[in-house]
Amino acid sequence: MDSDSPDGTIDAEDLREADRGNGGREYNPAADHSFPDERVNRVLEVVEDDEEIAAYLEAQNVNPVARKGYNDHGTKHIDIVRNRALCLYDLLKAGGVAFNGATGQGLDEADEAVVIALAATLHDIGHVVHRDEHPYYSIPLAADLLDRLLPELGYEIPEAVRLKGEVLHAILCHHTEEDPLTLEAGVVRVADALDMERGRSRIPYEKGGRGIDTISSQAIKRVSLHDGDDRPVLVEIEMTDAAGVYQVDELLKSKLEDSGLEGDIRIVAVHTDAGGDGDGEGTLIERIEL
């Protein structure tokens, strides 16, 4: 839950922490899901305890944040993207969406979530080389990690090769002009844009950064995922300043386009006054649907 500090600002750490009840931000392995989850739960245990992956997730934040003044691309970003990707996948599966990546390669339905979890975990590691064109640097680095991880997870060579290809495809398509050819890749692409709340831009903002990415992220108070009425997923975005429209209309909308999920996800942005009563709830100014 968001909390206000004594000076009236939102505590950044609270904004970067979350639980399963906060708009589907955190995937809960112990919960019931709309897909076979035993395999992906094992993957999560392995990657979260992997020393090399942890080192990459920490190191990959230096170029984008410390050197270029961009928003967070480190461990917390990966946690949120991976969790939201799995929650998004869960909602889509519950809504009857048929995925085509893993099964198209002759893999099991249980491998769909594995592809999503691994791609979400490794999609930004190319930042250790450079921020610019980082997905292309992520590919060889992730490939090396997958060559080690997949046998440890019990995949034989034929399945490992196919799974590796699906993961690398999703990594490539998360932030480039390459269109996703699978819905697994589309989920990772959209989930990457769903980490837009103001806590993500805390460091560049405190250092004086006032670029559009930083300012627009500061305007986003909360993002939440829900079961939709006419579509499987409803994404609700609460913003306290019109600058937040950039995050929604330019970043999230652009990633939703050509993701393969355009007809399955509804996006609603609510613009509220930053003031309001003591409960921290502002006055509704505008409700925008994309």
Side-chain angles (χ1 to χ4, degrees):
M1 180 179 296
D2 299 350
S3 62
D4 293 338
S5 62
D7 63 359
T9 61
I10 301 294
D11 184 86
E13 290 304 316
D14 285 345
L15 280 162
R16 300 297 283 170
E17 296 294 339
D19 55 46
R20 181 64 179 87
N22 185 10
R25 173 182 261 172
E26 185 168 346
Y27 169 79
N28 181 0
D32 292 330
H33 300 109
S34 55
F35 60 90
D37 58 11
E38 183 176 354
R39 197 168 293 178
V40 72
N41 289 344
R42 171 61 181 154
V43 168
L44 294 176
E45 291 177 358
V46 170
V47 300
E48 289 172 359
D49 291 335
D50 191 273
E51 183 178 2
E52 187 176 8
I53 291 178
Y56 268 116
L57 300 191
E58 182 177 352
Q60 72 189 36
N61 223 17
V62 174
N63 278 330
V65 177
R67 294 173 178 168
K68 298 207 71 166
Y70 287 178
N71 293 346
D72 173 39
H73 285 81
T75 302
K76 183 56 65 176
H77 170 63
I78 296 303
D79 286 346
I80 292 175
V81 171
R82 183 175 59 219
N83 281 313
R84 285 199 164 169
L86 289 171
C87 292
L88 178 58
Y89 170 68
D90 196 13
L91 288 169
L92 290 166
K93 291 288 283 188
V97 175
F99 281 69
N100 64 328
T103 56
Q105 285 284 9
L107 299 169
D108 295 334
E109 180 187 5
D111 292 317
E112 294 171 354
V114 172
V115 170
I116 290 169
L118 288 173
T121 300
L122 303 176
H123 74 278
D124 270 345
I125 63 173
H127 278 102
V128 301
V129 180
H130 205 290
R131 160 65 186 177
D132 299 342
E133 307 295 337
H134 68 274
Y136 297 100
Y137 302 124
S138 294
I139 294 296
L141 297 176
D144 286 346
L145 286 168
L146 291 169
D147 285 341
R148 173 174 62 81
L149 288 171
L150 294 179
E152 293 178 8
L153 291 166
Y155 288 95
E156 300 293 336
I157 290 176
E159 291 76 22
V161 167
R162 293 174 180 273
L163 188 64
K164 174 182 173 181
E166 291 302 306
V167 173
L168 296 181
H169 174 73
I171 290 173
L172 175 66
C173 297
H174 87 271
H175 188 64
T176 72
E177 295 181 356
E178 310 291 348
D179 292 337
L181 303 180
T182 70
L183 294 190
E184 287 93 329
V187 164
V188 175
R189 182 184 180 106
V190 172
D192 186 40
L194 290 176
D195 182 21
M196 64 172 69
E197 287 124 322
R198 63 184 64 172
R200 190 178 183 199
S201 58
R202 175 181 60 86
I203 294 175
Y205 189 80
E206 289 180 352
K207 289 184 176 181
R210 295 299 183 268
I212 185 61
D213 282 343
T214 299
I215 292 298
S216 59
S217 179
Q218 284 288 303
I220 303 296
K221 181 178 181 182
R222 184 180 293 108
V223 177
S224 56
L225 307 181
H226 308 278
D227 289 304
D229 293 327
D230 56 342
R231 302 185 189 187
V233 181
L234 170 63
V235 177
E236 287 191 336
I237 301 163
E238 183 180 348
M239 58 186 181
T240 56
D241 187 275
V245 171
Y246 177 82
Q247 289 284 327
V248 180
D249 198 34
E250 294 296 325
L251 303 183
L252 177 55
K253 183 180 178 181
S254 67
K255 289 203 172 187
L256 180 60
E257 290 178 349
D258 298 320
S259 68
L261 298 169
E262 301 92 327
D264 300 311
I265 300 174
R266 178 185 175 199
I267 300 173
V268 174
V270 178
H271 182 194
T272 63
D273 184 355
D277 57 29
D279 295 328
E281 298 295 334
T283 302
L284 180 64
I285 296 176
E286 189 175 10
R287 185 177 179 89
I288 308 164
E289 180 164 353
L290 300 183

